[in-house]
Amino acid sequence: MKVLITETLRIDLDTEQWECRRCGRAHGSARDNYKRGLLVHDRDPREVHKPLLDTQLYERTYSPDPKWCRILEYYCPDCGTMVEAEYLPPGHPPLYDIELDIDALKEQWKGRPEMQEPAQAPDLALERVLLQRQLHAQAHQNCRPADKA
């Protein structure tokens, strides 16, 4: 059984492996940090947050200093989907941000149907537009000029 964990990750409870939800590639043991099976891009934070002031004139430019901050981006090695991004001080190990009790998860999902796609919330913006169109049409339907005989 596969259990959806994040927008890009799921766990296969039968094999106890993290998997990419887009391509299905296994990333490693679900009892370990999923980031171990991903490609890592160590970004210069100045690429993401461009300096607001001239770097030739000012020491502080409102852009993160790479001596104090780095951005790690994690990607699926097969399909290239970005799975996670995190801001860390240089030298800090990757965060262990998801730790699940796999045995409890197996017990919880025993006998449940497998969920193929996440539950989708209604598109409230679309519903509002459709309702406005319906109200507009009703209002103008009552204002039609009478047929002249």
Side-chain angles (χ1 to χ4, degrees), residues 3 26 62 140:
V3 178
Y62 297 100
H140 287 285

Side-chain angles (χ1 to χ4, degrees), residues 14 31 41 63 79 85 93 108 112 116 125 127 131 141:
D14 299 327
R31 296 181 186 271
H41 182 207
S63 180
C79 67
Q108 179 185 4
R112 282 186 177 182
Q116 299 298 324
E127 287 183 19
L131 178 62
Q141 186 175 21

Side-chain angles (χ1 to χ4, degrees), residues 101-124:
D101 183 342
I102 302 302
D103 298 321
L105 201 58
K106 285 182 175 182
E107 187 64 32
Q108 179 185 4
W109 281 87
K110 189 188 311 178
R112 282 186 177 182
E114 185 171 323
M115 203 170 156
Q116 299 298 324
E117 289 298 320
Q120 296 293 320
D123 186 346
L124 298 178

